[in-house]
């Protein structure tokens, strides 16, 4: 597989330094990409870079994932209007271990192959570097004029944002540049990759290598991912879409991809999956012929959810989706864990009810009119029950005065009431 050709048709190349493709075609090449360790989980904004590393390894080259422990203590000013919160070492180490587990789903760290992936942390070579040594050996290699010419610096100095730019942040590109020098010397790393906002920092590294060692060094960036409507990719009302199920449930993760627009699905399926060009072309044609069936979104959601979580999580997410939008059974509802149950029914009208009353047993008609205002009147409820239109936990209510007790609760806590086909209510016993 030709790495550059693969990225080109997938729309994953923004800038590439002359000679990069020739180097990749010449021999197995080691390349690295930096990952910010400010959280103990990746979010889907990181996935573009991770997929670049994955395609690199599939193409026979060697990927290095660099955790920016030292640079994470400073904060990259690129395209940021404010200075970052700085992290302590214990937090950084915890985050590093968590990120490696996630990266292992995409990259092969354990094989005996020459191109097995590696994880490094720049804190390990920066922590012993004295300030005097750094400014003498590294700082003198790059002029202030050169550093000031970078877009990331110019934007901050021209007043975008309120606080200007600290000296700490100004030195960031020297630190990132030195990472490339270090990996070039110790790992024979000849290529650095990243998002297009990193071009200035990456080329500082190639300039340092040229001046300090005379070695070969190349740069390649991918476009920053956007949404067709101009909104920010990977953000929802509740914040980032995370890869860790503690922060974003597999169901919500699946729903994110399932609900992207047709235009975005056509772009994202190239970037975030391993599917071949032929398979994607076929899916795009299917989408154009029958957009209402949404084959692109369904396959995108399947591929990414399975890759990040598991096939079981994907199937569970599909089943959970059918609870709201299909003919799911009571058994399907009972199988949901609490987080997924709450995610599925997020936004439906909800009521708190008394756990003590539920334990004693309460007639459905009293529960759904007096204790929780699902119905305006008992007559309205009686009529719906007689017509077979009321369900409790996906089981039709046969009589309007049926007793509901603790045994009816899902997760010992919840009742799902369904009026007609589409109206749901969540009752929580407290």
């Amino acid at each position: 597989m030709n790495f550059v050709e693969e990225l080109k048709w997938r729309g994953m190349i923004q800038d590439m330094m002359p000679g990069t493709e020739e180097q990749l075609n010449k021999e197995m090449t080691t390349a690295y990409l930096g990952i910010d360790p400010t959280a103990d989980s990746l979010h889907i904004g990181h996935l573009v870079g991770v997929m670049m590393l994955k395609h690199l390894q599939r193409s026979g080259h060697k990927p290095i994932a660099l955790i920016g422990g030292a640079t994470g203590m400073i904060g990259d000013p690129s395209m940021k209007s404010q200075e970052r919160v700085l992290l302590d070492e214990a937090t950084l180490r915890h985050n590093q271990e968590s990120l490696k587990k996630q990266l292992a789903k995409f990259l092969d760290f354990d094989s005996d192959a020459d191109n097995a992936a590696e994880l490094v942390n720049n804190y390990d070579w920066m922590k012993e570097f004295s300030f005097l040594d750094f400014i003498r050996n590294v700082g003198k290699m790059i002029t202030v004029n050169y550093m000031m010419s970078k877009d990331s610096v110019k934007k901050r100095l021209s007043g975008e944002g309120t606080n200007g730019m600290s000296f700490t942040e100004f030195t960031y590109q020297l630190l990132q540049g030195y990472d490339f020098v270090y990996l070039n010397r110790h790992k024979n790393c000849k290529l650095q990759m990243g998002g297009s906002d990193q071009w200035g920092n990456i080329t500082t590294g190639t300039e340092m290598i040229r001046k300090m060692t005379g070695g070969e060094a190349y740069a390649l960036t991918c476009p920053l991912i956007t949404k067709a409507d101009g909104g920010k990719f990977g953000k929802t009302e509740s914040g980032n879409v995370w890869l860790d199920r503690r922060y974003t449930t597999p169901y919500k993760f699946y729903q994110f991809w399932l609900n992207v627009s047709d235009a975005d699905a056509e772009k994202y399926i190239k970037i975030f999956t391993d599917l071949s060009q032929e398979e994607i072309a076929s899916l795009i044609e299917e989408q154009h012929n029958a957009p209402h069936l949404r084959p692109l979104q369904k396959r995108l959601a399947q591929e990414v959810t399975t890759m990040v979580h598991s096939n079981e999580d994907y199937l569970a997410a599909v089943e959970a989706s059918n609870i709201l939008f299909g003919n799911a059974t009571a058994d399907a509802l009972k199988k949901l864990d609490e987080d997924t149950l709450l995610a599925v029914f997020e936004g439906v009208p909800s009521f708190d009810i008394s756990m003590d009353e539920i334990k004693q047993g309460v007639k459905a008609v009293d529960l759904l009119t007096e204790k929780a205002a699902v119905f305006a009147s008992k007559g309205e409820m009686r009529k719906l029950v007689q017509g077979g239109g009321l369900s409790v936990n996906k089981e039709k209510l046969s009589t309007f005065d049926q007793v509901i007790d603790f045994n009816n609760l899902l997760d010992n806590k919840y009742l799902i009431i369904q009026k007609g086909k589409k109206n749901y209510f969540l009752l929580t016993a407290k």
Side-chain angles (χ1 to χ4, degrees):
M1 191 173 94
N2 182 300
F3 177 61
V4 172
E5 290 302 318
E6 186 75 10
L7 291 195
K8 275 181 182 171
W9 77 257
R10 291 182 183 276
M12 293 174 73
I13 294 184
Q14 174 85 18
D15 295 299
M16 185 166 61
M17 190 173 278
T20 303
E21 191 166 7
E22 290 78 1
Q23 167 60 37
L24 288 159
N25 290 338
K26 183 173 73 174
E27 61 188 357
M28 184 189 85
T29 301
T30 299
Y32 92 94
L33 180 136
I35 295 170
D36 184 7
T38 48
D40 64 354
S41 172
L42 301 170
H43 54 71
I44 59 173
H46 293 110
L47 268 187
V48 190
V50 174
M51 291 304 291
M52 289 173 81
L53 290 175
K54 185 175 188 184
H55 291 310
L56 182 88
Q57 191 170 39
R58 287 174 65 221
S59 304
H61 301 291
K62 182 180 179 69
I64 294 178
L66 180 142
I67 301 294
T71 37
M73 287 181 162
I74 290 174
D76 178 7
S78 301
M79 309 309 165
K80 307 288 188 305
S81 59
Q82 304 228 331
E83 192 152 341
R84 293 253 182 102
V85 175
L86 311 186
L87 302 177
D88 58 58
E89 186 180 354
T91 304
L92 286 165
R93 292 297 182 191
H94 164 74
N95 292 355
Q96 176 182 337
E97 286 307 306
S98 303
L99 298 182
K100 184 171 184 183
K101 284 178 189 164
Q102 291 183 333
L103 289 167
K105 294 187 175 183
F106 302 85
L107 303 172
D108 178 8
F109 288 97
D110 301 321
S111 79
D112 298 329
D114 291 340
N115 73 326
E118 283 188 52
L119 185 85
V120 297
N121 187 333
N122 61 11
Y123 183 74
D124 293 332
W125 56 83
M126 289 306 305
K127 63 183 176 184
E128 304 299 337
F129 220 143
S130 76
F131 179 69
L132 286 176
D133 284 343
F134 187 79
I135 57 172
R136 185 182 64 190
N137 298 326
V138 179
K140 71 177 183 182
M141 293 294 161
I142 301 293
T143 66
V144 169
N145 306 49
Y146 181 87
M147 294 170 73
M148 297 276 284
S149 70
K150 302 294 183 180
D151 282 345
S152 59
V153 175
K154 278 199 285 193
K155 286 187 176 179
R156 284 291 289 275
L157 292 180
S158 66
E160 290 188 22
T162 54
N163 300 323
M165 185 181 198
S166 68
F167 174 74
T168 303
E169 283 188 304
F170 184 59
T171 59
Y172 184 93
Q173 62 175 292
L174 291 179
L175 286 175
Q176 185 169 329
Y178 183 73
D179 288 342
F180 202 175
V181 173
Y182 183 92
L183 292 175
N184 184 262
R185 278 177 176 161
H186 296 273
K187 304 279 186 186
N188 193 30
C189 179
K190 295 182 178 177
L191 173 63
Q192 185 181 167
M193 305 187 296
S196 58
D197 60 334
Q198 292 297 310
W199 181 254
N201 293 332
I202 294 173
T203 51
T204 297
T206 62
E207 180 72 3
M208 275 189 187
I209 290 169
R210 188 179 66 77
K211 287 185 172 179
M212 292 173 80
T213 71
E216 292 179 286
Y218 303 95
L220 187 156
T221 64
C222 62
L224 296 180
I225 305 305
T226 55
K227 284 164 64 176
D229 65 4
K232 190 164 184 183
F233 167 75
K235 289 278 189 183
T236 65
E237 286 178 15
S238 52
N240 284 322
V241 179
W242 298 93
L243 274 55
D244 191 312
R245 66 178 60 232
R246 291 173 302 159
Y247 307 133
T248 301
T249 64
Y251 169 78
K252 273 193 169 178
F253 186 85
Y254 166 79
Q255 286 289 327
F256 172 83
W257 299 102
L258 192 65
N259 290 319
V260 300
S261 70
D262 288 2
D264 286 335
E266 195 169 316
K267 179 166 74 169
Y268 296 166
I269 201 161
K270 294 174 185 172
I271 296 170
F272 298 109
T273 77
D274 288 337
L275 296 178
S276 69
Q277 193 167 3
E278 295 73 28
E279 205 166 354
I280 290 174
S282 172
L283 284 164
I284 290 171
E285 190 178 349
E286 273 183 59
Q287 184 93 352
H288 289 167
N289 293 336
H292 62 288
L293 297 177
R294 309 176 83 244
L296 272 178
Q297 284 94 335
K298 287 176 181 174
R299 189 62 186 277
L300 172 66
Q302 176 185 352
E303 292 290 325
V304 186
T305 305
T306 302
M307 180 169 61
V308 168
H309 293 290
S310 68
N311 190 53
E312 291 73 25
D313 285 316
Y314 158 70
L315 294 173
V318 172
E319 197 169 5
S321 299
N322 288 336
I323 287 168
L324 271 185
F325 309 115
N327 299 313
T329 62
D331 286 340
L333 191 59
K334 287 171 187 167
K335 279 198 291 187
L336 296 185
D337 59 74
E338 183 176 11
D339 286 341
T340 305
L341 177 83
L342 293 175
V344 169
F345 293 99
E346 186 177 37
V348 307
S350 59
F351 300 96
D352 291 339
I353 54 176
S354 163
M355 178 66 85
D356 290 339
E357 289 180 359
I358 287 290
K359 284 180 176 175
Q360 290 167 19
V362 59
K363 288 180 181 178
V365 64
D366 296 331
L367 178 67
L368 301 181
T369 56
E370 296 170 8
K371 316 294 182 189
V374 173
F375 291 93
S377 70
K378 294 182 178 182
E380 181 195 346
M381 178 178 161
R382 181 188 282 113
K383 198 179 293 182
L384 193 64
V385 172
Q386 288 169 348
L390 183 65
S391 298
V392 176
N393 298 340
K394 285 287 179 182
E395 291 178 339
K396 285 208 186 308
L397 207 62
S398 52
T399 60
F400 80 105
D401 59 354
Q402 182 178 324
V403 173
I404 306 292
D405 61 21
F406 186 79
N407 294 320
N408 294 105
L409 296 179
L410 300 166
D411 281 320
N412 300 326
K413 200 173 189 177
Y414 303 106
L415 291 169
I416 301 297
I417 310 300
Q418 185 179 1
K419 277 171 72 175
K421 285 191 174 179
K422 295 183 178 176
N423 295 314
Y424 287 91
F425 300 83
L426 173 66
L427 275 55
T428 306
K430 293 184 174 178

